[in-house]
Amino acid sequence: MANRDPTTPQRSRWKLALVAILVLLIAAFVYFLPVVKGYTGVGSSYAAHVTCSCRYIGGRSLSDCEKDFEKGMELVSVSDDPARKRIDATFPLFGHEAAEFREGYGCIVLTQKEREAG
């Protein structure tokens, strides 16, 4: 008579449980993706506008302007284009927004068409 390994059913249950957890995590990620994209877009817009105002209206340096960010915005990176008086803010993999200083209007968050045009 052959001996069966008594741990085989336990291993199968663990594998099944891990696969089920993985499937649930993937489903949750897909379900909440639009919400995450929305929050990262708003965060990027906020960062671009605040940094543009700080930089071109307040006259402060880019590194000094990053102090004005709210908690939780550590992943948002900003870059400066002094020739166009434009600030680009990026949240990795999800959001990219830009704000530009316009005389008489202040800092304006650009639309997607305006960002792509120049």
Side-chain angles (χ1 to χ4, degrees), residues 8-45:
T8 302
Q10 286 180 335
R11 286 185 187 163
S12 296
R13 288 182 190 147
W14 278 106
K15 287 181 184 178
L16 183 61
L18 289 175
V19 168
I21 290 170
L22 182 63
V23 167
L24 287 173
L25 287 174
I26 291 171
F29 177 77
V30 169
Y31 180 78
F32 288 110
L33 187 61
V35 174
V36 171
K37 281 187 164 188
Y39 280 124
T40 57
V42 169
S44 298
S45 295

Side-chain angles (χ1 to χ4, degrees), residues 3-105:
N3 289 335
R4 286 183 53 191
D5 185 6
T7 60
T8 302
Q10 286 180 335
R11 286 185 187 163
S12 296
R13 288 182 190 147
W14 278 106
K15 287 181 184 178
L16 183 61
L18 289 175
V19 168
I21 290 170
L22 182 63
V23 167
L24 287 173
L25 287 174
I26 291 171
F29 177 77
V30 169
Y31 180 78
F32 288 110
L33 187 61
V35 174
V36 171
K37 281 187 164 188
Y39 280 124
T40 57
V42 169
S44 298
S45 295
Y46 173 82
H49 189 268
V50 166
T51 306
C52 178
S53 298
C54 169
R55 179 88 176 97
Y56 295 111
I57 296 172
R60 295 165 46 200
S61 69
L62 190 64
S63 60
D64 191 40
C65 292
E66 289 178 357
K67 294 176 187 174
D68 295 343
F69 286 2
E70 296 290 327
K71 283 186 178 182
M73 293 187 61
E74 292 81 14
L75 292 177
V76 178
S77 61
V78 292
S79 61
D80 186 12
D81 183 357
R84 292 189 287 179
K85 292 188 177 182
R86 178 176 166 167
I87 300 292
D88 289 295
T90 305
F91 190 95
L93 301 176
F94 290 106
H96 173 257
E97 298 294 334
E100 190 174 85
F101 177 76
R102 295 183 182 165
E103 196 63 47
Y105 295 98

